[in-house]
Amino acid sequence: MAEAVLVVCPGRGTYGAAELGSIMRHHGGSPLLAAFDVQRAERGEPTISELDGAARFSPGLHGAGTNSAPLIYAAGILDFLSLDPQRAEVVAVCGNSMGWY
């Protein structure tokens, strides 16, 4: 039987220095991450993988809305999609800036 879980979605500003590398650590090789990277590369923007894989966190680079929002969204959706429906039944979702989701 699946355990009931509450999903808390991150809001703006939740991707900081402590999160640097977390997307690649948990979701490197994900087809969805690769698709996000292609979309950003086609627009001449740094990819999620490049941003997350940077040697250092840069508030000016990582904190810019054009980069922070996609980082936060990518991390959130990849984490959400990694939930095993056999083990976790989502019974509620909450968070900041829910219109984004």
Side-chain angles (χ1 to χ4, degrees):
M1 184 161 141
E3 181 177 359
V5 298
L6 162 68
V7 174
V8 180
C9 297
R12 175 114 165 80
T14 55
Y15 186 97
E19 287 71 40
L20 188 65
S22 63
I23 296 172
M24 294 303 295
R25 228 180 359 268
H26 296 287
H27 306 291
S30 161
L32 184 56
L33 177 57
F36 289 157
D37 285 348
V38 166
Q39 290 174 359
R40 288 186 57 86
E42 287 174 347
R43 292 191 303 268
E45 299 170 333
T47 67
I48 300 298
S49 295
E50 290 169 344
L51 290 166
D52 186 65
R56 288 192 185 115
F57 181 82
S58 166
L61 177 66
H62 293 92
T66 57
N67 295 328
S68 66
L71 282 164
I72 294 162
Y73 178 78
I77 194 67
L78 289 165
D79 284 349
F80 179 80
L81 292 173
S82 70
L83 291 172
D84 179 352
Q86 299 299 316
R87 296 182 52 209
E89 177 188 2
V90 177
V91 295
V93 178
C94 69
N96 186 17
S97 302
M98 291 305 292
W100 175 254
Y101 295 91

